[in-house]
């Protein structure tokens, strides 16, 4: 096992419903350490850049509108196999398919308003972390 870092975002549907603490408890109970965290309002340009890989998908404009519809909490999680472990804690993209006990099963409202984002590879994690955080903000 190797210690990894991954980027997590608590999305506007969850911050609006005051679920940051309950979601953080699930992350921490899984053994992931939140080594950086900040709450911010994304601009349209930030959201478009962040989700650039999806720009040809039919849901891209709706996704950007959703991601700027309220505050997000961006965070860096650290732990053994953090990228995969966080994806397991999140559950499937569509909450209807998500496993019992996962964040999306418990909290997501729809396939779009699905409460959390998590990096899907170590390479993307490194790029996404540096999109939001400077190295001095990451404190184990
Ligand atoms: P994320 O990247 O947010 O961690 P994911 O990796 O599970 O989620 P992706 O396929 O990368 O899923 O899609 C990115 C986001 O786009 C989803 O989390 C969801 O908010 C939105 N999305 C994905 N598929 C759809 C869809 N069919 N309709 C509407 N929104 C969608
Ligand atoms: Mg994704």
């Amino acid at each position: 096992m190797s210690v990894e870092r991954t980027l997590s975002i608590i999305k506007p549907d969850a911050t609006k419903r005051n679920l940051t603490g309950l979601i953080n408890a699930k992350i921490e109970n899984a053994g992931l350490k939140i080594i950086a965290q900040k709450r911010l309002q994304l601009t349209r340009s930030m959201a478009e850049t962040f989700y650039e890989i999806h720009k040809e998908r039919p849901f891209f404009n709706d996704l950007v509108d959703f991601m700027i519809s309220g505050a997000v909490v961006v965070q860096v999680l650290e732990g053994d196999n953090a990228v995969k472990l966080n994806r397991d804690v999140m559950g499937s993209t569509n909450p209807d398919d998500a496993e019992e006990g996962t964040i999306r099963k418990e909290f997501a409202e729809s396939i779009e308003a699905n409460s959390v984002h998590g990096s899907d590879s170590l390479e993307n994690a490194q790029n996404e972390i540096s999109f939001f955080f400077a190295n001095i903000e990451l404190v184990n």
Side-chain angles (χ1 to χ4, degrees):
M1 295 227 259
S2 60
V3 176
E4 296 175 351
R5 291 173 172 178
T6 190
L7 186 88
S8 166
I9 304 178
I10 302 178
K11 295 182 178 181
D13 67 288
T15 61
K16 277 181 189 157
R17 288 176 290 148
N18 225 15
L19 293 172
T20 300
L22 289 176
I23 289 173
N24 280 351
K26 283 202 174 283
I27 290 168
E28 292 182 337
N29 286 341
L32 289 161
K33 184 183 265 190
I34 301 166
I35 62 163
Q37 176 170 263
K38 56 192 173 192
R39 182 175 169 107
L40 64 159
Q41 173 66 51
L42 296 181
T43 63
R44 181 171 296 277
S45 146
M46 283 169 86
E48 284 174 351
T49 304
F50 185 79
Y51 275 122
E52 193 151 31
I53 46 162
H54 293 311
K55 70 172 181 293
E56 305 303 331
R57 307 278 283 274
F59 57 80
F60 178 74
N61 287 328
D62 283 348
L63 175 61
V64 169
D65 284 342
F66 164 63
M67 289 299 289
I68 66 173
S69 68
V72 296
V73 175
V74 295
Q75 43 192 198
V76 179
L77 313 181
E78 185 178 271
D80 282 331
N81 297 315
V83 172
K84 164 83 165 62
L85 178 54
N86 184 45
R87 298 284 297 185
D88 290 344
V89 174
M90 291 162 57
S92 302
T93 309
N94 185 342
D96 292 340
D97 302 331
E99 303 69 16
E100 287 299 329
T102 60
I103 292 169
R104 284 167 166 169
K105 178 73 179 183
E106 215 153 301
F107 302 123
E109 296 181 313
S110 67
I111 191 169
E112 177 181 82
N114 60 5
S115 301
V116 280
H117 161 83
S119 308
D120 60 9
S121 70
L122 198 52
E123 188 190 354
N124 285 341
Q126 280 153 3
N127 292 333
E128 291 176 3
I129 289 168
S130 56
F131 185 80
F132 285 111
F133 292 95
N135 270 334
I136 58 160
E137 296 178 286
L138 311 179
V139 182
N140 181 299

